Amino acid sequence: MQQQAQVVVIGGGYAGVAAANRLSGHPGVSVTLVNSRPVFVERIRLHQLAAGTDDALVDFGKVLAPSVRLVVDVVERIDAPARRLELASGDRLGYDHLVYAAGSVRAPAGVPGAAEHALPIAQLGDADRLREELAALAPTAPIAVVGGGPLGIEVASELAEQGRSVTLYCGGPLGPSLHPRGRRSVARRLDALGVAVVNGPASRVAAVERDAVVLADGSTRSSALTIWAAGFVAPDLARLSGLTTDAAGRLLIDETLTSVDDDRIVAAGDSAAPSGLPLRMSCQAAEPLGGHAADTVLRRVDGRQPEPFVMAFVGLCISLGRRHGIFQFEHRNDTATRAHIGGRAGAAVKELVCRGTVQQLVLEARHPGATRLPAAFGDRERRRMLAVDASDAVGAGADRGREGA
C-alpha cells in the first residue's frame, strides 16, 4: 500500500481551514493543521468582540474535518531543505508538502507614541484587551479611531452605536475603496451615529500621546483611548526562514500558488502574493486561495500539473453598527461599481456574509471538495483583472484596513 503524503498547513484561519478541509478528502494524503489557538477566530467579527456584541470564536470541531490533526503550537521556523517545521514547544514536524497560510498581523504604525499609547485591533488578543479597556473607560470619554478603511469604520460605528464619543481619523479620504455614492452613504450613517469624521490631507495622525492624538498639521485632539485600525502585514515567519517575500512579508508565489523557492510549498490567504500581485486581505479571497492551494498540492500528489489561480471579487461589505451596513458591489478586479445596498438591508447582507463564510468551511469539512472554485484564466487575464501596483504592497492593507468579507 502506498504511503500517504504528509501535508502540513500553517495557520487555522479562513485560508488554512479551507485548505485543510479540501485536502482531507484525498485518500493519499494525511493532513495536519498547526495553529496557535485551539479555536477558530472569526477575524471579521473582532470589532464586535471588542464592543461585546459577539465572541468571534467557533470551535474547530465545527469547521475542521474530523480527519485533520490539529496541533496547537507556533511555528518558529520553516526548514525548507529538510522539509521540517520547528515549533515553539521544541517539537519538530516533518512534511512532504506545506501550505503556508499564516495570515496577517498589525503593521508597525511608524508613528511616535503609537506603540505605547494606541491599542491595535488586528488579532484576538488585541480585541480582548480593547474590550477590557473599554469596560474601564467612562461612557462619555473621547475615543480616537485611527484608520478610515473598513476596519476603522466598523470599529467607530460599533462603539458609537453604544453611545460612545468617537472621532474617526481617516488619514485621507473616508473609505477610499468605496464608490463616491457608497462613501456618502457611509458618511451619513456615521453622522447619524454621532461619529466625528476627520478626513482629507490634514487628518493623518502624526503622533499618539497618552491622552491625545497629534495631527499632521500640528493640532492636538483629546483622546482617552486611541484605537489603531490601519495597516496589516504578513508575519515574518517566511522571511526569517529564508523564503522570498514581498515588502509586506507575503510569501512570493507563482500563479499556481507555489513558492518561487520550493515547489513543495504553496501559500494562501493574507500571507500569499501570487506573482507579486497580492489580493485584498479578506476572507473573500482567503477561502478560494485556500481551496486552490489544496488543489495544487493534490495535483502534485497525483502526478498532474497544477493550474493557475483566478480570483473574481463580488463586493465589499462593512457593518455600521448592528442595525445598518453597506454592501458595495465591485467589478471582478476589486474596484467599486456605482451600486450598493445600504441601511438595514446592508446590515442583513453583511451578517449573511459573515455567517456564510463559516458555513462554507462547515460544508467543506463535511464534504471535502464540495466548494466550487472559479475556472482558471490565463496569466494575462489574471494580471488584467487583479493588477495591483507593486508600490501598494503595504498600502493595500494600510489604506483600506483588513476587510474580512
Side-chain angles (χ1 to χ4, degrees):
M1 181 177 179
Q2 187 176 2
Q3 187 176 3
Q4 287 183 311
Q6 302 298 309
V7 183
V8 177
V9 180
I10 298 177
Y14 298 99
V17 172
N21 287 343
R22 198 170 183 89
L23 287 163
S24 71
H26 194 292
V29 302
S30 174
V31 187
T32 299
L33 176 71
V34 183
N35 193 57
S36 61
R37 291 185 177 86
V39 291
F40 177 80
V41 178
E42 289 188 84
R43 289 188 70 186
I44 55 178
R45 292 193 189 272
L46 287 183
H47 63 288
Q48 291 185 251
L49 171 59
T53 58
D54 198 280
D55 65 5
L57 299 176
V58 180
D59 190 272
F60 267 126
K62 178 179 179 180
V63 298
L64 196 60
S67 63
V68 176
R69 175 192 174 207
L70 175 64
V71 174
V72 181
D73 211 326
V74 175
V75 179
E76 292 193 333
R77 182 173 176 269
I78 302 167
D79 186 347
R83 295 181 195 161
R84 184 175 60 209
L85 305 180
E86 297 176 4
L87 307 182
S89 63
D91 291 342
R92 294 182 176 183
L93 190 60
Y95 65 84
D96 296 309
H97 296 272
L98 179 67
V99 179
Y100 185 75
S104 57
V105 297
R106 60 183 179 272
V111 170
E116 297 83 5
H117 304 302
L119 295 181
I121 186 172
Q123 295 168 289
L124 179 63
D126 300 332
D128 279 332
R129 182 186 172 195
L130 181 54
R131 180 175 57 181
E132 293 173 0
E133 294 287 339
L134 286 166
L137 195 68
T140 58
I143 297 173
V145 177
V146 182
L151 179 58
I153 293 171
E154 291 191 326
V155 173
S157 302
E158 202 78 21
L159 298 180
E161 191 176 65
Q162 297 182 343
R164 297 283 187 175
S165 175
V166 182
T167 301
L168 178 63
Y169 297 92
C170 298
L174 172 69
S177 53
L178 295 170
H179 188 276
R181 294 179 66 187
R183 188 174 301 124
R184 288 193 292 270
S185 176
V186 169
R188 286 193 297 270
R189 181 56 189 165
L190 290 172
D191 182 63
L193 288 170
V195 177
V197 177
V198 182
N199 57 12
S203 65
R204 183 176 63 84
V205 172
V208 181
E209 299 176 350
R210 183 179 60 82
D211 56 0
V213 294
V214 181
L215 302 185
D217 62 4
S219 63
T220 300
R221 307 289 183 91
S222 176
S223 172
L225 179 66
T226 299
I227 302 171
W228 200 267
F232 294 85
V233 294
D236 58 5
L237 173 60
R239 181 183 62 81
L240 293 177
S241 298
L243 299 171
T244 305
T245 64
D246 70 2
R250 303 176 182 97
L251 185 67
L252 281 185
I253 52 180
D254 64 17
E255 289 298 301
T256 70
L257 310 188
T258 304
S259 166
V260 298
D261 303 307
D262 189 330
D263 64 7
R264 295 289 183 131
I265 300 175
V266 299
D270 292 355
S271 56
S275 293
L277 303 175
L279 307 173
R280 168 160 49 97
M281 291 183 174
S282 63
C283 65
Q284 185 175 174
E287 291 192 10
L289 280 165
H292 194 92
D295 284 355
T296 292
V297 170
L298 294 179
R299 282 179 169 272
R300 287 206 166 97
V301 169
D302 290 340
R304 297 180 294 155
Q305 286 297 315
E307 296 182 345
F309 170 78
V310 67
M311 178 68 200
F313 283 92
V314 176
L316 169 71
C317 50
I318 304 173
S319 65
L320 300 168
R322 294 298 87 213
R323 295 186 291 273
H324 287 74
I326 182 171
F327 182 85
Q328 170 72 70
F329 288 95
E330 293 187 317
H331 298 292
R332 293 165 65 91
N333 67 349
D334 200 22
T335 58
T337 72
R338 289 173 54 85
H340 71 268
I341 301 172
R344 293 182 181 274
V349 173
K350 167 71 175 183
E351 182 60 24
L352 182 65
V353 169
C354 289
R355 293 182 182 182
T357 57
V358 172
Q359 289 305 314
Q360 191 67 44
L361 296 177
V362 172
L363 174 65
E364 192 72 14
R366 296 174 180 172
H367 308 284
T371 301
R372 185 175 180 180
L373 299 177
F377 290 80
D379 178 73
R380 181 178 299 179
E381 176 69 5
R382 200 321 250 199
R383 289 177 176 273
R384 184 186 68 79
M385 289 170 51
L386 302 174
V388 175
D389 191 331
S391 67
D392 219 21
V394 177
D399 295 340
R400 303 181 68 164
R402 188 187 192 284
E403 198 284 314

